[in-house]
Every structure is written in structure tokens, then in C-alpha cells.
Amino acid sequence: MSSSPTPGAKFRSALAAASPLQVVGTLNAYAALLAQRAGFRALYLSGAGVANYSCGLPDTGTTTLDDVLTDARRITRRVDLPLLVDIDTGWDDPAATVRALAAAGVAAVHLEDQVPAKLCGHLPGKHLVSSDEMCARVRAALTGKPDPTFVVMARTDAAAVEGLPAAIARAQSYLAAGADMIFAEALRTLDDYRAFTAAVRAPVLANLTEFGQTPLFTLDELRSAGIALALYPLSAARAAAAASRDVYAALQRDGTQRATLDRMQPRAELYSVLGYTPPAKP
């Protein structure tokens, strides 16, 4: 009798089936259900998303492992798609962080080379640890893997701080330390990605966050540059926040929600997404 695939195996299988694999940000279990219904194969929990939307804080390294675990568990308990999770710099113990997230049903994590008081990867003023210190983080994270299929991805922010050649050299070092995949943050051109993927012999992720340093390249463009994973960390969250802002403004202005009903999800659709059939009327 064969056992079911591990979360990490599901993530790797999804990557093998798509080029590039679209990984979409889901802040909570309901967003994950919507993404699943839309046909995506892999989900993402953003550290900035946890900070901004779950905690009401900027993404400056103030959220905790427990904050991330709370949101991750809610997603994995409800949706069977593989979940990639942002673990910032790994907190105090990358191995313990990986063990905790793996126990929560997570498939993959990414760990970055900023100092612990980190900043959003598309903001100025970032500071990096040395390549040796980041390699130590990677090696520590690897000791927490529950099985070989679990993915530890190493993120480098060096392109914006030290230049593309340094980012490539760092990525190569992180792979030598045992990282499974590489997250290349804040690259600006397809030629940059082509140079990066030509030199880095592992799956490379491109972060297509809106209002950042990286243009919103299409899948065809990313494919031509050798990118394996395309990440959309907060697209749906930003849209939901804008819609909420507009509904609140209308309620305050009009004293009724009538003008915004066409922008709301109907109750019947909510129940359909949840797989819930309400009791029949007597």
C-alpha cells in the first residue's frame, strides 16, 4: 500500500508540471480555497502579508514564527495544495523554524540573506549578512528538513545592494551549502534573469510583486529567461484591501452599501467555495 506524497513532493511535482510554476499569495484559508478553485498548483504565505494584513505592521522583521505558523496552519488544514512560506531570516533557530513549519504541513520555505532587522526586498536601505553567515543559515535550516523532498529555498537580496555578479556568486554559494532552489529578489530586466539562470544550476524564482523593482513580466517572458517559478505574493491581498477601502468609504458617505453590492461576492458563491449546503427552508 503506497503512502500519500509529502507536501514537499507535491511542490516538486507541481514545479515539474509547469514552466514556470505560478505560485500565488494567499493570506488565509479562504483565499487559498479561491486560488485552488482558480486552478493554481502552489500557494504562498508572504512574510509581508502576515505583518501587514494579519498583524497591521510594516514588514520590518517584527513578526514572529508563531505569527506565521498561525496563518500557515489555517491554510494547510483546509487546502491540500503545496504551500511555500516566507521565513524571513529564520528567526533565532532556522532548524527549529523548518521543523515547526514542516509539522504544520508546509511544503517549502525560503530564507533570506538580509540582517535580522530586515526590510521588504523592493525597498532601499537593505543590509546583508556575509555569504558565509547566510550559508550557515542554510545549513542550519537543512537540518530541520523532515524528509528529502521538503524544499529549502535560499533568497538573495544582493542584486539591489551589491550588484548582479555578487548576487550570482552568493546564489552559487547557497547552492553549495545545500539549498534546493534560489529566490532572486529585485532583478530589473530579463537579461538579468537570463544571466542569473545561466549561472545558477537550480530552479530560480522571480518575485513579481506589484509596485516594486521588477517589471511585471509575462510567463512567456519569464520562460524565455529560464525562470522556473513565478511568484505573485500579494496581488489578491492588495485588490481585496482596495475593495474594502472603497466599501468603507461608500458606507461612510452614503449610509448604505447599496452602491457597492456589485463588487461583493454573493452568499451563494461563498457557500459554493466553502462546500457548504445550507439547510432547506421548512
Side-chain angles (χ1 to χ4, degrees):
M1 182 177 177
S2 61
S3 59
S4 59
T6 64
K10 291 178 184 177
F11 188 77
R12 292 173 186 268
S13 177
L15 179 59
S19 176
L21 175 65
Q22 290 181 294
V23 186
V24 291
T26 53
L27 290 182
N28 51 47
Y30 189 69
L33 287 168
L34 291 174
Q36 181 180 53
R37 173 173 278 216
F40 290 101
R41 294 187 175 103
L43 307 177
Y44 179 65
L45 181 60
S46 160
V50 173
N52 301 162
Y53 297 97
S54 292
C55 300
L57 297 170
D59 182 27
T60 55
T62 57
T63 47
T64 67
L65 172 59
D66 285 343
D67 293 325
V68 173
L69 276 171
T70 295
D71 288 343
R73 289 188 183 114
R74 288 172 174 165
I75 293 169
T76 59
R77 285 171 183 165
R78 191 65 181 89
V79 178
D80 199 36
L81 294 176
L83 179 66
L84 168 64
V85 175
D86 178 359
I87 61 170
D88 290 344
T89 61
W91 292 288
D92 294 330
D93 186 342
T97 295
V98 168
R99 284 193 294 269
L101 284 160
V106 167
V109 298
H110 70 76
L111 179 72
E112 65 196 58
D113 55 9
Q114 289 195 55
V115 298
K118 52 77 59 83
L119 293 174
C120 170
H122 289 252
L123 292 177
K126 296 182 292 186
H127 297 281
L128 308 184
V129 298
S130 68
S131 181
D132 286 346
E133 184 171 342
M134 177 59 178
C135 287
R137 285 179 185 172
V138 170
R139 287 191 290 268
L142 292 171
T143 66
K145 289 177 63 162
D147 61 79
T149 66
F150 188 93
V151 173
V152 172
M153 183 183 295
R155 168 177 146 176
T156 180
D157 285 74
V161 179
E162 301 172 344
L164 185 63
I168 290 171
R170 279 176 172 268
Q172 291 169 335
S173 295
Y174 305 162
L175 289 176
D180 299 298
M181 302 177 190
I182 295 294
F183 183 138
E185 181 67 307
L187 272 60
R188 293 173 179 265
T189 70
L190 288 171
D191 283 342
D192 286 346
Y193 280 121
R194 289 188 183 98
F196 199 99
T197 60
V200 175
R201 298 302 181 184
V204 174
L205 178 147
N207 183 13
L208 302 175
T209 190
E210 301 82 16
F211 318 113
Q213 300 297 318
T214 302
L216 303 183
F217 296 120
T218 67
L219 283 180
D220 285 343
E221 289 170 331
L222 294 170
R223 188 178 300 114
S224 74
I227 290 297
L229 305 101
L231 177 65
Y232 312 88
L234 293 169
S235 305
R238 291 188 171 113
S244 297
R245 176 202 63 205
D246 292 347
V247 169
Y248 292 144
L251 280 169
Q252 182 63 233
R253 182 187 64 244
D254 302 335
T256 176
Q257 67 272 53
R258 291 174 185 168
T260 61
L261 282 177
D262 63 344
R263 282 175 271 171
M264 296 184 186
Q265 184 184 51
R267 188 186 302 271
E269 185 179 326
L270 166 70
Y271 289 164
S272 176
V273 173
L274 295 175
Y276 171 67
T277 302
K281 292 182 179 180

